[in-house]
Amino acid sequence: MFTVDKTKRPLHRSHTKKSPANETDPNDQRIAGNSPSNRNSSAMDSLSPPQEPYRNWVELPRDVTASILWKLGAIEILTSAQLVCSTWRSICKDPSMWRSIDMHNLGDLWDMDYDLGRMCRHAVDRSSGGLVDVNIEYFGTDDLLQYIADRSSHLKRLRLVCCYSISDEGLSEVATKFPLLEELDISYCSLSKQALEVVGRCCPLLKSFKLNNQGCRNPHIECNEEALAIAEHMPHLRYLQIFGNKLTNEGLQAILDGCPHLESLDLRQCFNVNMDGHLGKRCIERIKDLRHPYDPTDDYPFDAEIADVGSSEEDYPSGFSEIDFLSDDDDYYEFSGGSDMSDFEHLYFD
């Protein structure tokens, strides 16, 4: 780079011979290359960090932007991403963005300024009947489940976690509207064997089922009702996770007999199961991916603390316990109506 000092006269070429317009005088090259200003400029350029090229994210291809935004989850899209610009808003309103709805949250419903139930309904509406996968945590109700079922006949994956307000009747009623369901997760919910039986009969394509609870050794309780319902009504299962279940060897034997295609079985914290002897050998021979009752829980997505009940209040865990499931915590779900969102509805729900 050649820098011109305007306080000095410019260098002149020789008057004896005029150089062509497209030819550079060697003297000029020598002088320019050795000039102090040029040397200083080169030194500065070598010390300066490289400049990042300017990127206009709005100019990304639409499908690339959609793929990025989709990873945010439904709550972040509706409350933040779609408000950035008109281009992103247009993408966020496309039905293809809502084939999968992930309403993941931390369960702090009291601290939220918006109604997750209403937000989920709006996301379902945006799917225009194309919804195939939905995840609902903490705020699920029978009414919300019915709303989804009436508008999502192609649903293949349903995940309900800590949805204590969903009843046996509510799940049983919508199961008849999910004939294509392949994966079901109803972990930490208050559902009985009756609901499982209906789901098994109405969802013949079911291949993956998760029915997780918090493990408990004290008091000692044995119950095979859920295991028998699975064995009798879900014969095509390939993946089964029953973390913290109270089944015994009898229930496990029934599952092995009734689910001949089972490839993955998670029995962690199923403390009533004894894997010694013939039954354990049969599991090892039959199941490709087998998790034993006392296997590590590092990769388990929930709190894996064992809920042994003692004599004091401190012994009752704040997580998911049998006592929590059997109690009618009306105050908790009084908030399921949430905020009326009157201050935000023109942004989220138009």
Side-chain angles (χ1 to χ4, degrees), residues 57-239:
W57 295 103
V58 177
E59 296 178 354
L60 282 174
R62 188 179 179 91
D63 60 333
V64 174
T65 302
S67 178
I68 295 172
L69 295 177
W70 182 81
K71 297 179 183 298
L72 296 177
I75 297 175
E76 288 75 12
I77 290 175
L78 292 174
T79 59
S80 303
Q82 70 169 1
L83 308 180
V84 171
C85 62
S86 59
T87 300
W88 283 20
R89 184 165 181 78
S90 173
I91 294 174
C92 290
K93 295 180 74 172
D94 191 312
S96 63
M97 284 286 291
W98 303 98
R99 287 174 52 82
S100 177
I101 297 176
D102 182 5
M103 300 293 294
H104 171 72
N105 66 90
L106 300 178
D108 50 348
L109 305 182
W110 294 279
D111 297 329
M112 295 183 182
D113 295 326
Y114 35 81
D115 178 355
L116 292 183
R118 186 179 180 189
M119 188 174 289
C120 185
R121 286 177 170 85
H122 182 63
V124 171
D125 291 341
R126 284 194 177 183
S127 72
S128 300
L131 182 64
V132 297
D133 182 2
V134 62
N135 171 41
I136 299 173
E137 303 178 14
Y138 296 99
F139 64 94
T141 64
D142 288 348
D143 289 341
L144 176 59
L145 202 54
Q146 187 67 57
Y147 190 91
I148 295 172
D150 291 340
R151 294 159 179 80
S152 312
S153 60
H154 302 290
L155 197 70
K156 293 184 178 181
R157 290 174 291 277
L158 175 62
R159 186 172 187 261
L160 306 171
V161 176
C162 303
C163 295
Y164 311 110
S165 287
I166 292 180
S167 66
D168 285 339
E169 295 77 13
L171 182 60
S172 298
E173 185 174 351
V174 300
T176 61
K177 300 180 180 181
F178 295 145
L180 302 180
L181 195 67
E182 297 179 2
E183 301 177 20
L184 176 63
D185 183 347
I186 48 176
S187 298
Y188 303 103
C189 295
S190 303
L191 298 167
S192 71
K193 68 170 186 176
Q194 284 79 15
L196 304 188
E197 291 171 352
V198 174
V199 167
R201 289 195 298 267
C202 297
C203 306
L205 301 181
L206 195 64
K207 295 180 177 61
S208 174
F209 184 49
K210 296 182 180 181
L211 182 68
N212 299 320
N213 288 290
Q214 193 163 18
C216 178
R217 290 175 296 199
N218 182 31
H220 180 78
I221 300 174
E222 297 182 357
C223 181
N224 287 309
E225 289 186 347
E226 296 166 340
L228 295 177
I230 293 170
E232 294 174 11
H233 300 282
M234 302 180 184
H236 302 296
L237 284 183
R238 297 183 180 277
Y239 180 97

Side-chain angles (χ1 to χ4, degrees), residues 45-53:
D45 290 343
S46 63
L47 295 176
S48 300
Q51 295 293 325
E52 288 289 336

Side-chain angles (χ1 to χ4, degrees), residues 30-61:
R30 177 178 56 79
I31 295 172
N34 294 325
S35 66
S37 60
N38 188 272
R39 289 197 301 271
N40 291 338
S41 176
S42 299
M44 291 295 292
D45 290 343
S46 63
L47 295 176
S48 300
Q51 295 293 325
E52 288 289 336
Y54 173 75
R55 293 185 176 92
N56 186 351
W57 295 103
V58 177
E59 296 178 354
L60 282 174

Side-chain angles (χ1 to χ4, degrees), residues 315-333:
D315 292 323
Y316 290 86
S318 59
F320 319 115
S321 71
E322 290 297 319
I323 292 178
D324 292 331
F325 297 154
L326 296 175
S327 64
D328 185 11
D329 194 353
D330 293 332
D331 291 338
Y332 184 91
Y333 285 102

